[in-house]
Amino acid sequence: MKVIELNREEYLISVKKIADFKSLCFSKEALEWWDNYYSWEKFPPLCLLDDKEKHVCYLFYNISNDNEYLTIHNLLTPNTHRSYGYAYKLLKYLFSHVSNNKIRRFKMNCVSSSLDFYNKLGLEYWGINDLSQYYCDYKMPLLDISEIPQIVKDSNLSEISDERIMQIYEKLKNNSRKVEEKMADKFEELKEKLEGKYHFDLLCARVREIN
């Protein structure tokens, strides 16, 4: 298996082969997001190829100008290629690939359908935004994503500046209240899965300290 970078044209050619509608829609959203807000030249998406050279997983990311944050934007494995550990391998590659960049933290917004995957990585969450995505923000592993569970265990919101805490809270303060009713119901269903892993109350307490 190997990882390659894709330019915009290569990405379009690749995702046109995706058969399931939901994954195809997700790939389109990633395309539009990169067209509107990020650079195909500076941060081309990564693509994992299996042993038969098939494109099996895609990852969009960027690194902030000050090297403060690695942000994971989209991690997509089409249905036909799931359950082989491809997303884990591609994420592992990314963290190892950028480990020499002295990046201080990483963050991501996780969709509810992927929480099982991110829970297995050891992630925990500070809140949910108005798109029903679960936000996490932690110190960058030194070498590998296998360090994430210990990083999460040792984490504390005091690691993050007051200014950054308020920025995070501004995005999460509605805590799913403004999402569609069906998504709010989904949030309630996920509470058991997120038991001990959802810390919006700690974020609120930190905000009160700042204020």
Side-chain angles (χ1 to χ4, degrees), residues 76-125:
L76 168 64
T77 307
N79 278 352
T80 53
H81 302 306
R82 290 179 183 172
S83 302
Y84 296 100
Y86 293 145
Y88 182 87
K89 290 176 182 177
L90 190 51
L91 201 59
K92 181 182 176 72
Y93 170 87
L94 173 64
F95 275 81
S96 299
H97 183 64
V98 302
S99 62
N100 292 328
N101 291 25
K102 296 184 179 179
I103 301 165
R104 291 182 282 277
R105 301 187 69 84
F106 74 94
K107 61 180 178 177
M108 63 179 74
N109 290 299
C110 310
V111 296
S112 59
S113 59
S114 299
L115 284 178
D116 284 339
F117 170 72
Y118 290 116
N119 287 350
K120 288 178 182 177
L121 282 178
L123 292 176
E124 298 182 6
Y125 315 93

Side-chain angles (χ1 to χ4, degrees), residues 23-188:
S23 295
L24 190 62
C25 289
F26 192 80
S27 70
K28 183 176 182 292
E29 290 173 3
L31 172 76
E32 293 173 348
W33 187 255
W34 234 239
D35 281 348
N36 292 330
Y37 300 106
Y38 294 97
S39 169
W40 290 89
E41 289 74 28
K42 189 173 182 180
F43 296 108
L46 302 179
C47 179
L48 180 68
L49 278 60
D50 68 8
D51 295 334
K52 296 181 180 180
E53 299 287 309
K54 289 183 178 180
H55 294 190
V56 296
C57 190
Y58 308 87
L59 194 160
F60 285 78
Y61 75 97
N62 83 294
I63 299 170
S64 61
N65 290 333
D66 59 1
N67 267 28
E68 177 72 20
Y69 276 97
L70 165 68
T71 303
I72 311 298
H73 291 278
N74 299 97
L75 179 58
L76 168 64
T77 307
N79 278 352
T80 53
H81 302 306
R82 290 179 183 172
S83 302
Y84 296 100
Y86 293 145
Y88 182 87
K89 290 176 182 177
L90 190 51
L91 201 59
K92 181 182 176 72
Y93 170 87
L94 173 64
F95 275 81
S96 299
H97 183 64
V98 302
S99 62
N100 292 328
N101 291 25
K102 296 184 179 179
I103 301 165
R104 291 182 282 277
R105 301 187 69 84
F106 74 94
K107 61 180 178 177
M108 63 179 74
N109 290 299
C110 310
V111 296
S112 59
S113 59
S114 299
L115 284 178
D116 284 339
F117 170 72
Y118 290 116
N119 287 350
K120 288 178 182 177
L121 282 178
L123 292 176
E124 298 182 6
Y125 315 93
W126 299 115
I128 179 173
N129 64 22
D130 289 344
L131 296 176
S132 294
Q133 299 167 331
Y134 293 77
Y135 180 82
C136 57
D137 185 323
Y138 291 103
K139 286 182 177 178
M140 189 73 177
L142 296 177
L143 297 173
D144 189 82
I145 58 175
S146 62
E147 301 167 36
I148 287 177
Q150 190 62 45
I151 289 172
V152 171
K153 182 179 179 181
D154 295 340
S155 69
N156 191 298
L157 282 171
S158 62
E159 300 169 354
I160 306 174
S161 70
D162 291 357
E163 180 182 6
R164 180 62 188 157
I165 285 289
M166 297 308 297
Q167 291 171 351
I168 293 171
Y169 179 72
E170 190 63 28
K171 294 179 180 180
L172 306 179
K173 63 183 180 182
N174 295 313
N175 198 32
S176 85
R177 287 193 296 271
K178 284 190 176 181
V179 300
E180 296 179 16
E181 184 176 345
K182 62 180 180 180
M183 296 305 295
D185 291 342
K186 181 69 173 178
F187 172 68
E188 292 298 318

